[in-house]
Amino acid sequence: MAKGYTAQKIQIPSNGREMKMLILRPALAAQPREKTPGILWIHGGGYVTGMAEMIYLSRAVNLVKKYGAVVIAPEYRLAGRAPYPAALEDCYHALEYLHAHTDELGVNPDLFMVGGESAGGGLTAALCMAVRDFSDIKIAFQMPLYPMLDDRDTDSSRRNYRLPWNTFFNRCAWKKYLAHIIGSPSPYAAPARQRNYAHLPPCYTFVGSKEPFYCETLAYVEQLKEAGISAQVDVYPTGFHAFDLLTPFRKISKQAVKQFEKQYLRAVERAQEKTAMK
């Protein structure tokens, strides 16, 4: 109760195996079901590292504690043992679980959102594309923070030797993630390969101005805008990847968190207004 939320670990089926998933709920029923977003939050780690417990350090925790959302965090398969499409399939099944258990979780099916940091942001974008193309589930908003979207070098990911993520790590991670692909990857594997951005969910993100994913983040937002999708990116003067998580004491980190939560609340309000007009 003191944390402001409760955490539950469950197992759900995904591709013939059991996948661990964490469910975070507000400690007290903060708002009625019709106003409660259900958020799928996807951890980062370059597609090759990470675990569901990274949710506790993520931007999503405050969405539970402060604003009453319900968040699920899947422990998707990592590329070292299971390259693409394993991670995307696991995230897809996590979203299907959210869709099938709205009553149990106490969330509004018109307020589904997806987000994540870094590779989790890349999977966010890929999942939104896959859901648009293959599912009847509706995603109201996407939050791919400094997302890992492009398997090709960009002006910001080429010859970028900053820590904690750089050109060498990026190339190695993509090589592992796309290990089973012959030829050019599809947009579901590398979302920057997408050519049709129509009908994707509205988007908010932020990124550092000198970090490897700067160019692909801005390109993603621009492509969404050109397709008529509401999208916004805030850029912060840093080359430190995942600066908000790894240096939370910095002024720009606090500013990024404040702006992220502001954009989230706006998105919830717009989604609720849209639902009320049905």
Side-chain angles (χ1 to χ4, degrees), residues 208-230:
S209 60
K210 299 178 182 178
E211 77 136 280
F213 299 152
Y214 168 75
C215 286
E216 56 209 79
T217 301
L218 266 61
Y220 182 62
V221 170
E222 187 59 32
Q223 295 279 12
L224 287 170
K225 288 182 176 179
E226 289 180 2
I229 307 300
S230 175

Side-chain angles (χ1 to χ4, degrees), residues 147 149-160 167 170-171 174 192 211-219:
L149 302 167
D150 204 334
D151 61 300
R152 303 157 296 188
D153 283 349
T154 69
D155 287 344
S156 59
S157 67
R158 182 187 302 110
R159 294 187 294 276
N160 189 323
T167 302
N170 202 47
R171 290 173 178 171
W174 277 113
E211 77 136 280
F213 299 152
Y214 168 75
C215 286
E216 56 209 79
T217 301
L218 266 61

Side-chain angles (χ1 to χ4, degrees), residues 66-167:
K66 295 173 65 174
Y67 306 114
V70 172
V71 171
I72 64 172
E75 187 153 296
Y76 59 84
R77 286 168 290 172
L78 301 176
R81 293 187 176 182
Y84 172 84
L88 181 60
E89 289 173 345
D90 288 344
C91 293
Y92 196 98
H93 291 143
L95 183 65
E96 288 184 321
Y97 177 91
L98 179 64
H99 182 257
H101 293 80
T102 53
D103 290 340
E104 175 187 338
L105 296 171
V107 302
N108 186 337
D110 291 321
L111 295 178
F112 288 163
M113 301 185 177
V114 181
E117 296 95 355
S118 193
L123 284 166
T124 293
L127 182 62
C128 288
M129 294 171 186
V131 168
R132 177 197 64 180
D133 295 342
F134 303 112
S135 175
D136 293 329
I137 298 174
K138 302 300 181 184
I139 298 175
F141 195 59
Q142 57 172 313
M143 300 168 279
L145 306 183
Y146 33 87
M148 185 176 176
L149 302 167
D150 204 334
D151 61 300
R152 303 157 296 188
D153 283 349
T154 69
D155 287 344
S156 59
S157 67
R158 182 187 302 110
R159 294 187 294 276
N160 189 323
Y161 302 110
R162 301 173 184 272
L163 293 176
W165 195 256
N166 57 38
T167 302

Side-chain angles (χ1 to χ4, degrees), residues 206 236-238 243-244 246-259:
F206 62 85
Y236 295 93
T238 180
F243 66 94
D244 61 311
L246 300 177
T247 58
F249 50 85
R250 296 173 67 192
K251 182 178 179 180
I252 61 168
S253 297
K254 295 177 181 178
Q255 181 182 353
V257 171
K258 182 178 180 180
Q259 182 65 8

Side-chain angles (χ1 to χ4, degrees), residues 4-107:
Y5 65 90
T6 63
Q8 177 187 9
K9 182 171 70 174
I10 66 170
Q11 301 282 335
I12 69 169
S14 181
N15 288 83
R17 57 182 276 275
E18 292 294 304
M19 176 175 66
K20 182 174 76 174
M21 191 166 71
L22 299 177
I23 302 175
L24 272 55
R25 296 181 175 94
L28 299 174
Q31 54 193 354
R33 175 179 178 271
E34 61 268 18
K35 293 187 177 182
T36 302
I39 302 174
L40 169 60
W41 200 264
I42 309 170
H43 72 74
Y47 301 109
V48 295
T49 65
M51 63 189 75
E53 283 79 6
M54 290 170 67
I55 189 68
Y56 299 123
L57 302 176
S58 77
R59 292 277 64 81
V61 169
N62 273 357
L63 305 186
V64 182
K65 292 194 299 185
K66 295 173 65 174
Y67 306 114
V70 172
V71 171
I72 64 172
E75 187 153 296
Y76 59 84
R77 286 168 290 172
L78 301 176
R81 293 187 176 182
Y84 172 84
L88 181 60
E89 289 173 345
D90 288 344
C91 293
Y92 196 98
H93 291 143
L95 183 65
E96 288 184 321
Y97 177 91
L98 179 64
H99 182 257
H101 293 80
T102 53
D103 290 340
E104 175 187 338
L105 296 171
V107 302

